[in-house]
Amino acid sequence: MTAPPPARTYRIEDLAHHTATTVRTIRAYQDRGLLPRPERRGRANLYSEAHVARLHQIAHLLDRGYTLASIKELLEAWDTGRGLGGVLGLVTEVEGPWTDERPDRVGRAELDARFGGTPDDGAVAEAVELGVLERIEGDPDTFLVPSPQELSVAVELHAAGVPLSAISEHLRELRGQVEHIAARFLEFTTEYVFARYLDDPGHRTDAHAAEAASLVRRLRPLAQQTLEAELARAMRTLATRHLRTHLGAESPGEPAEELSATRSVTLPAETISAVENLVGPDHVAEFIALTAEREVRARGLDHLVSDSLGRTELRKSP
């Protein structure tokens, strides 16, 4: 009986050549825990076909856009027998785009034209830092636009008179607030939906990973839908209040009688509380305005009736 051929082994230089990588990269993968240590034979470190397969797996995942941290988690799942297919599907679903919006490209000349026609290198650098624009290697006059809608908003705001520096500052502030909302949504869904898949070893199979990926697809639109609905509600309430406040304050040169209908009036706290209990906090101003209008009309009618009765009595008098 012929003995099987001995398993092939590689020195680190040979392994790097065989897998189209570098010695430095192999050692970096070992330091990160992505690649098992070699077998020590005498004074030599020898790598096996298992190391070749692992390096091919890492290269494949890097090509798909995974980070080294994500790859380490995936390979650990593989090593513990959970199966790589289901885990890959789940990670792909989570790391995929969370919007149907498609990236676009814009040339520098078109970009300058959309913002008034005057080149502004500082504003472009700020947009690149914020990720509104991304530079394209080898083409300094063209930019990738991850969110064309976001760029269009900046164009409209600038056309309305908002300085580019103010737009950038507003975006930084808004991004921090939105990231807080996203973090709270993730905490909420993790606690009530995904904890069993992440914390329970019994739910770490390929089938459960596929089930979790399906849940991500179903729940993905909910964050955006909830945020849009709440933003619309808040904008309606606050914009109405903001407009009434500004119209109610007299401006120099404007006659008081033209603004009397929208002048702010201080009411007792007990009155405000009673109205809130009756119609809810979002409808206090509307309720008070309608109530006051109804009272004014009622008194006007009473006055007309009183005058009419007075005139009738005068006609009846001798």
Side-chain angles (χ1 to χ4, degrees), residues 112-188:
D112 292 340
R114 294 179 70 180
F115 285 95
T118 303
D120 190 334
D121 292 340
V124 170
E126 183 84 0
V128 170
E129 181 183 346
L130 288 168
V132 177
L133 300 175
E134 294 181 5
R135 298 189 184 278
I136 297 176
E137 187 175 355
D139 190 355
D141 293 327
T142 305
F143 298 90
L144 180 69
V145 185
S147 173
Q149 290 181 359
E150 190 170 51
L151 182 62
S152 295
V153 169
V155 170
E156 292 297 330
L157 288 173
H158 184 259
V162 182
L164 289 174
S165 58
I167 295 173
S168 298
E169 185 61 30
H170 174 70
L171 179 57
R172 290 181 189 278
E173 181 182 355
L174 180 65
R175 186 169 291 176
Q177 295 169 345
V178 171
E179 286 177 357
H180 174 73
I181 294 172
R184 292 292 299 120
F185 189 84
L186 287 174
E187 291 170 5
F188 174 79

Side-chain angles (χ1 to χ4, degrees), residues 1-7:
M1 185 175 180
T2 304

